[in-house]
Amino acid sequence: MNRLNFKILVVGLLFSTGVYVTSCKSKTKDESTQASADTTAVTPVPSAPVEIAADDALTTGVKDATKDHPGVNATVNNGEITLTGNIERSKLPDLMQTLNSLKPKKINNQLTIK
Amino acid sequence: MALQDKYKELINAASAAGVQNLQVREQDNVLYIDGEAATGQIKDNLWAIYNKIDPDFRAGDLIMNINVSAMAAGARAKVTTASSNLNIRKGPGTDQPIVGKAEHNSTVTLVSKMNDQWWLVRTDQGEEGYAYAQYLAVQ
């Protein structure tokens, strides 16, 4: 029985060493592949295109956003919001935050700042 | 890549502040930064940096949409209007009839989010309807 146990132990040791060596080999290989991928980064990770809201949704959103800013006129065309009229500087960030959340393509700020 | 350089301080600040699902994309000469900030304070800070890099937001080369993850159903939010009471409407839109008011500086419960602009809320008086998200801040 003791001899059998010893054999099992030896086989086990050999096996685990084998696994260890194999895992080491593949790790080294992975690292080298990664290193070369890093230095030759020619294919950027594809990211989803930016979602732009439709003009109808933008027009509704812009109407709501400018309701409490009586001096501000806003038009929507092809995803772009154009702001004209006037606003107090302290109120501009709130308006811009809301307009930015509507997912427009671009905001043309032509407001006169009071 | 030029726009990412221009707004580098902003992008770095968003990363450092732990903004979740941060996406920085450039398309047709406009940079789009999207993500979720834990608090309104982080969002305000990012907007302050934006305003510093591009004073009065004149350049038209950045669309930044940072949501606040603390704005979640069940949370309590303060009504942050300048001085007036906040309209509570039947539906999500300023063309919808007003069904109630939430007092300036009062607190309401967020019931469910319609979109980034409109939340279904409930006042402590039990009035329920849609309110404009810009005037709600989770404490």
Side-chain angles (χ1 to χ4, degrees):
Chain A
M1 277 301 270
N2 276 346
R3 189 172 282 182
L4 183 63
N5 274 345
F6 181 71
K7 274 184 184 171
I8 292 170
L9 187 67
V10 168
V11 169
L13 271 174
L14 282 173
F15 181 73
S16 62
T17 315
V19 168
Y20 179 70
V21 170
T22 316
S23 65
C24 259
K25 270 182 188 166
S26 65
K27 198 173 179 183
T28 317
K29 199 178 170 188
D30 280 350
E31 273 169 6
S32 67
T33 317
Q34 243 174 10
S36 77
D38 278 347
T39 47
T40 57
V42 283
T43 45
V45 180
S47 60
V50 178
E51 182 198 339
I52 307 290
D55 279 6
D56 282 356
L58 279 175
T59 305
T60 308
V62 162
K63 195 180 127 206
D64 290 346
T66 53
K67 176 187 162 281
D68 291 337
H69 300 279
V72 175
N73 299 312
T75 55
V76 172
N77 185 25
N78 215 3
E80 292 191 19
I81 300 171
T82 301
L83 301 170
T84 53
N86 53 65
I87 194 169
E88 286 171 41
R89 178 163 277 119
S90 61
K91 290 183 176 167
L92 182 63
D94 272 351
L95 175 65
M96 292 303 282
Q97 284 185 24
T98 308
L99 294 176
N100 274 248
S101 73
L102 297 173
K103 300 187 167 61
K105 185 179 181 185
K106 187 181 178 183
I107 299 174
N108 303 304
N109 174 14
Q110 297 166 8
L111 288 165
T112 303
I113 314 268
K114 287 194 285 192
Chain B
M1 291 303 279
L3 285 175
Q4 295 200 31
D5 286 340
K6 179 180 174 183
Y7 292 105
K8 196 175 181 196
E9 184 188 347
L10 182 59
I11 296 163
N12 289 347
S15 282
V19 169
Q20 298 289 301
N21 303 322
L22 182 64
Q23 287 194 87
V24 180
R25 292 172 289 183
E26 198 171 328
Q27 195 168 292
D28 296 331
N29 300 317
V30 177
L31 189 68
Y32 298 83
I33 299 179
D34 296 85
E36 277 178 32
T39 64
Q41 201 176 3
I42 293 171
K43 178 181 173 177
D44 288 345
N45 183 43
L46 294 175
W47 274 88
I49 296 171
Y50 178 6
N51 203 3
K52 189 184 81 177
I53 299 172
D54 176 24
D56 296 334
F57 319 103
R58 290 285 188 199
D61 57 5
L62 173 62
I63 296 293
M64 181 163 75
N65 189 14
I66 302 289
N67 288 314
V68 176
S69 49
M71 289 280 285
R76 304 271 291 160
K78 190 178 169 186
V79 174
T80 60
T81 46
S83 60
S84 55
N85 295 331
L86 178 62
N87 292 330
I88 309 254
R89 294 178 183 272
K90 190 178 179 185
T94 52
D95 54 348
Q96 294 287 311
I98 296 169
V99 294
K101 301 260 185 189
E103 275 180 46
H104 167 65
N105 276 344
S106 69
T107 308
V108 298
T109 302
L110 300 177
V111 178
S112 66
K113 184 181 181 175
M114 179 67 197
N115 54 38
D116 287 342
Q117 290 77 46
W118 291 94
W119 268 90
L120 180 62
V121 302
R122 190 170 49 243
T123 65
D124 288 349
Q125 287 72 44
E127 289 173 330
E128 199 168 292
Y130 291 85
Y132 206 53
Q134 187 195 313
Y135 300 115
L136 298 170
V138 172
Q139 301 299 289

